[in-house]
Amino acid sequence: MRYRLTVIGTGYLGITHAACMAAMGFEVLGLDVDADKIARLNAGELPIHEPGLEPVLRRGLDSGRLRFTTSYEEVAAFGDVHFVCVGTPQKRGEYAADVSYIDGAVESLAPLLDRACLVVGKSTVPVGTAERLADKLVRLSPVGAAAELAWNPEFLREGFAVQDTLHPDRIVLGVRSERAEKVLREVYEPLGDVPIVVSDFATAELVKTAANAFLATKISFINAMAEVCEAAHADVQLLSKALSYDDRIGGRYLNAGLGFGGGCLPKDIRAFMARAGELGADQALTFLREVDAINMRRRARMVDLARELAGGSFHGCTVGVLGAAFKPDSDDIRDSPALGVAVAIGHQGGRVTVYDPIALDNARKAHPELSYGESAVDAVRGAHVVLLLTEWQEFVELDPEQLGGVVAARRIVDGRNCLDAEAWRSAGWHYRALGRP
Ligand SMILES: NC(=O)c1ccc[n+]([C@@H]2O[C@H](COP(=O)([O-])OP(=O)(O)OC[C@H]3O[C@@H](n4cnc5c(N)ncnc54)[C@H](O)[C@@H]3O)[C@@H](O)[C@H]2O)c1
């Protein structure tokens, strides 16, 4: 049987999942509470920046297999398998995750379910959420236990979302019945030979948070080494290169710099700590507090380094900031280290102009108090200090001579250790980087 799929919550995760499932041949109906987003998606317009996703979306719409709606009634009537992809942001003023959107989605869908179906959570949630939602689903749905829950965490990376969805490293299925496992195996069958791990709910939920905790730890490890290198006048780039040849360590996620941000890693490690505390296992994760602190210290160190280059104060100083997105190939500015640094320098009296190839509109909306340039050259015109804060290829390829012609002083801090230091120094720039002499 070819199942009809629905995707509830069409943000970075949901749009990608819906479009890719349509590309795999399924009929898919996406739903969001944001009517504007739904109108844009039905018009073939991507409300986010994600390389390679727009053609997949368009092909899905053109084939007639992919549609979007705001109607839960339509979704309930349409779907055999409902994927829940709504947001789980950090609660205001707390470490814990706000799971109210996911509860809201289940509360909207469950009372409308009039036949057997599978509701599959993909959002990142605190362990224990699936068990609670499974009870809620059965309680609220007119068909009772015939509406079954499963948990299928998502590991896609923004910037590689289509590739990661169509060629995942692994698929994790948290299920309570053979039927649920069988349905999900059939859904993912078109992906071919992908390792599948079948588990209970709690393990499935934990795989996702554990993976994010590990990646965050690896990034903060090399950034902690950068702090020591700075103190010891050593070079973290060479250190990291030498470590990377050890295949027990590996070179990925081992690039020292301004640290991690975005809509996932920071809030996920905090939510993980909060949940471990509730479970009485907080000691096991106290190291994540340090991982978070190291990460946030990089932003403060960046501001200090910029102030040092500015001569000890930002007053009367123009700072050109290259990058607003939390990482290249994304327009996502959630908890962006680049914008965090730009805002902090603004608060300390600097005149900051930011440029980003894709994330400018989002940055403008979130931080109207900053100035924005229309190009890298525009943003650094007249700058006393230039900061490279997001590793866009366009910035890596900048010509130090051309940029040198428009700035007030040739001073740059490479927050991502991605420039050729020698090339910039030979062009007369005072080049500094995190973790390097
Ligand atoms: N972005 C990623 O790279 C990524 C990767 C893996 C996992 N995740 C997880 O996936 C989840 C979604 O992340 P995202 O980045 O796509 O978030 P997002 O904020 O981009 O999208 C969430 C969407 O859910 C919608 N929504 C909220 N409440 C709703 C409701 N009751 N019914 C229907 N729609 C509703 C919002 O309008 C929004 O469009 C989070 O738990 C996140 O941690 C994200």
Side-chain angles (χ1 to χ4, degrees), residues 10 30-47 57 61 67-70:
T10 54
L31 173 141
D32 205 284
V33 288
D34 182 338
D36 180 49
K37 203 175 256 187
I38 289 304
R40 290 175 69 181
L41 286 168
N42 274 326
E45 195 190 315
L46 207 53
L57 170 73
L61 293 168
R67 288 183 300 119
F68 295 91
T69 181
T70 53

Side-chain angles (χ1 to χ4, degrees), residues 121-124 151-155 170-174 203-205 207-208:
K122 286 193 83 62
S123 303
T124 303
W151 213 262
N152 167 219
E154 178 58 50
F155 302 97
R170 77 299 213 187
I171 291 169
V172 176
L173 305 178
T203 307
E205 293 167 310
V207 172
K208 174 65 189 175

Side-chain angles (χ1 to χ4, degrees), residues 353-376:
T353 305
V354 180
Y355 170 70
D356 188 283
I358 296 290
L360 272 190
D361 286 346
N362 286 343
R364 267 199 196 98
K365 267 182 233 146
H367 294 287
E369 75 278 17
L370 298 172
S371 297
Y372 295 92
E374 291 308 317
S375 66

Side-chain angles (χ1 to χ4, degrees), residues 6 20 95 118 148 158 170 225 241 269-270 288 335 338 356 361 388 407:
T6 81
C20 288
Y95 270 15
L118 195 61
E148 192 181 344
E158 285 173 30
R170 77 299 213 187
M225 294 307 108
K241 185 177 170 190
I269 62 169
R270 292 172 195 151
L288 285 180
D335 203 350
D356 188 283
D361 286 346
L388 193 163
V407 294

Side-chain angles (χ1 to χ4, degrees), residues 145-389:
E148 192 181 344
L149 193 85
W151 213 262
N152 167 219
E154 178 58 50
F155 302 97
L156 69 80
R157 298 160 298 167
E158 285 173 30
F160 302 89
V162 173
Q163 153 85 13
D164 287 351
T165 303
L166 294 177
H167 306 280
D169 299 327
R170 77 299 213 187
I171 291 169
V172 176
L173 305 178
V175 291
R176 278 184 166 170
S177 75
E178 280 175 16
R179 177 182 81 111
E181 179 183 339
K182 181 172 165 294
V183 169
L184 284 170
R185 280 187 184 274
E186 280 175 43
V187 166
Y188 287 118
E189 195 182 60
L191 295 181
D193 198 12
V194 180
I196 295 183
V197 179
V198 179
S199 75
D200 52 276
F201 285 169
T203 307
E205 293 167 310
L206 277 173
V207 172
K208 174 65 189 175
T209 36
N212 277 355
F214 187 88
L215 295 172
T217 303
K218 199 168 177 195
I219 297 170
S220 277
F221 172 81
I222 198 64
N223 283 332
M225 294 307 108
E227 286 188 22
V228 179
C229 283
E230 281 166 24
H233 307 289
D235 187 334
V236 75
Q237 283 295 91
L238 294 175
L239 178 100
S240 147
K241 185 177 170 190
L243 288 179
S244 74
Y245 290 116
D246 185 332
D247 59 15
R248 294 169 303 174
I249 297 176
R252 296 179 70 191
Y253 276 67
L254 208 63
N255 191 33
L258 191 52
F260 56 82
C264 291
L265 285 195
K267 61 108 176 155
D268 286 349
I269 62 169
R270 292 172 195 151
F272 198 14
M273 283 186 268
R275 184 63 185 135
E278 289 168 3
L279 292 169
D282 42 339
Q283 267 192 329
L285 297 187
T286 46
F287 74 95
L288 285 180
R289 211 171 265 281
E290 204 47 53
V291 165
D292 196 11
I294 292 165
N295 190 54
M296 297 311 286
R297 272 208 301 277
R298 290 289 77 188
R299 303 182 191 186
R301 173 68 184 137
M302 188 72 202
V303 175
D304 289 347
L305 207 48
R307 195 189 317 96
E308 205 182 292
L309 255 67
S313 162
F314 287 119
H315 287 285
C317 176
T318 301
V319 181
V321 166
L322 300 178
F326 85 100
K327 69 170 184 182
D329 292 318
S330 174
D331 65 347
D332 195 346
I333 57 156
R334 289 177 287 185
D335 203 350
S336 161
L339 279 178
V341 168
V343 167
I345 293 176
H347 285 159
Q348 294 183 28
R351 284 191 303 269
V352 184
T353 305
V354 180
Y355 170 70
D356 188 283
I358 296 290
L360 272 190
D361 286 346
N362 286 343
R364 267 199 196 98
K365 267 182 233 146
H367 294 287
E369 75 278 17
L370 298 172
S371 297
Y372 295 92
E374 291 308 317
S375 66
V377 170
D378 192 26
V380 307
R381 191 168 281 117
H384 301 97
V385 182
V386 175
L387 308 179
L388 193 163
L389 303 182

